[in-house]
Amino acid sequence: MKSVKIVFFDAKDYDIASFESSLPLWQEKHPDAPAVEMKFYDTRLSADTVELARGTDVVCIFVNDLVTSSLIDRLAEMGVRLIALRCAGYNNVDIQAAYGKIHVVRVPAYSPYAVAEHAMALLMTSIRRIHKAYIRTRDFNFSLSGLTGFDFHGKTVGVVGTGKIGACFIRICQGFGMRVLAYDKFPNEAIRASGVEYVPLEKIWSDSDIISFHCPLTDETRHMVNAGTIAQMKKGVVLVNTSRGALIDSEALLEGIKERHVGAACLDVYEEESNVFFHDFSGHIVNDDILARLISMPNIIVTSHQAFLTQEALSNIAETTLDNIREFLASGFSVNELCYKCGKIGTCLHDHSQPCF
Ligand code: NAD
């Protein structure tokens, strides 16, 4: 059987290690699968780098590879048949433009635990000042001044988006004895039955001590945290965003922090992250004043889109990506395909039992 050539963009050492170690195990499981040739590039997919995909069947990308309509045309013209996202979110790909030209698959779930646990890790670090205590005790400073936190037990947490990650996060919060309010466009009855109260967004804003975001980035959710919604939140509210940066208007967040209205923010994602995240800028000047100011705040913790980064998640990503590609080559479709069939950008999540075009 013909081998399949996959070119990886934005591939880091951990991506290469996980795909290289997963491939032999995956091949053992699927002896009928075609041989796989993998080529890894650290660079992002862009108009300048797209030529690296020439001669390959599959382009494998990550969250910050921006796949515009013109890039789709170039990939299709080169004969690339499949864009394989090695992530769940797909707001970086013009799904509408891809329809009828090139298939797009993603990894819908690789470890919701990884992301939910990171959200809680950020929250606990921030509220119990662990990051500050760590630096102090390394310097033999055992003072407790300025390290006062608050109990999670009995606090109200608002969870926006109760899909796979939101559901895990809710269970963690319930373990802490927190009251959970939730908002989702499509409420989940099992979550409601576990004691969670689904409420309108306005009540999430007004009643929550902590708000954690686990919904996708769409036209509807972009900047859902803005000056107007921050004003509706409790004074001292703690915001946790491990979903997509543009859910939060960063300038409005900065103002909210400066006005002491927002008590703390835990950010694993940032709306302009594609210019900086995953790169080492130590010793350089970062040309993003908002990010620099946010990072300078004592009550903001930023990690660089790290929530997914566990061994389990990486090996699940590798295995599902290889499965998606194998399924697509064998039958022309994959259960994890994204398409524009329903006519709404970013909301078509059909489980494809038939090829979509
Ligand atoms: P999911 O599809 O299982 O759940 C998303 C939930 O959001 C669904 O229940 C859906 O009904 C709900 N939703 C859709 N539109 C909404 C809206 N307008 N308002 C409120 N809720 C809405 O997805 P998931 O696996 O739980 O992932 C959630 C998000 O987490 C992804 O979209 C992705 O952006 C992000 N993510 C981040 C990382 C990371 O490393 N930081 C890793 C994986 C996923």
Side-chain angles (χ1 to χ4, degrees), residues 88-89 108 110 115 160-166 183-186 214-216 220-221 242-244 268-269 305 307-308:
Y110 38 87
V115 182
V160 180
T162 57
K164 291 174 285 296
I165 296 170
Y183 172 76
D184 195 301
K185 269 187 97 170
F186 308 99
H214 302 288
C215 61
E220 208 176 337
T221 61
T242 55
S243 187
R244 283 294 180 265
D268 185 51
V269 286
H305 211 130
F308 75 99

Side-chain angles (χ1 to χ4, degrees), residues 63-88:
V63 292
N64 288 323
D65 294 295
L66 194 61
V67 187
T68 57
S69 145
S70 62
L71 269 191
I72 284 165
D73 287 342
R74 292 202 40 204
L75 289 170
E77 166 267 310
M78 284 177 194
V80 172
R81 298 167 61 201
L82 184 70
I83 296 171
L85 284 146
R86 50 180 195 280
C87 53

Side-chain angles (χ1 to χ4, degrees), residues 62-63 87-91 106-112 114-116 118 159-168 183-188 191 198 201 213-222 224 241-245 247 268-269 273 278 303-309 317 346-347 349:
F62 198 49
V63 292
C87 53
Y90 53 91
N91 51 285
R106 67 167 182 153
V107 182
Y110 38 87
S111 172
V115 182
H118 190 80
V159 178
V160 180
T162 57
K164 291 174 285 296
I165 296 170
C168 286
Y183 172 76
D184 195 301
K185 269 187 97 170
F186 308 99
N188 175 333
I191 288 176
Y198 277 99
L201 261 183
F213 295 90
H214 302 288
C215 61
L217 175 63
T218 63
D219 288 345
E220 208 176 337
T221 61
R222 184 175 298 276
M224 69 195 305
N241 190 5
T242 55
S243 187
R244 283 294 180 265
L247 297 182
D268 185 51
V269 286
E273 70 178 47
F278 308 136
T303 51
S304 53
H305 211 130
Q306 181 191 334
F308 75 99
L309 196 63
I317 287 171
T347 55
L349 289 171

Side-chain angles (χ1 to χ4, degrees), residues 29-46:
K29 258 202 228 165
H30 302 284
D32 55 327
V36 173
E37 286 176 45
M38 303 190 290
K39 219 169 194 181
F40 298 96
Y41 291 107
D42 185 47
T43 182
R44 298 234 171 99
L45 176 61
S46 70

Side-chain angles (χ1 to χ4, degrees), residues 326-348:
R326 180 182 61 83
E327 269 180 24
F328 171 74
L329 292 175
S331 62
F333 66 94
S334 153
V335 287
N336 292 326
E337 174 144 6
L338 294 165
C339 89
Y340 189 66
K341 203 160 142 185
C342 69
K344 292 181 199 147
I345 296 174
T347 55
C348 176

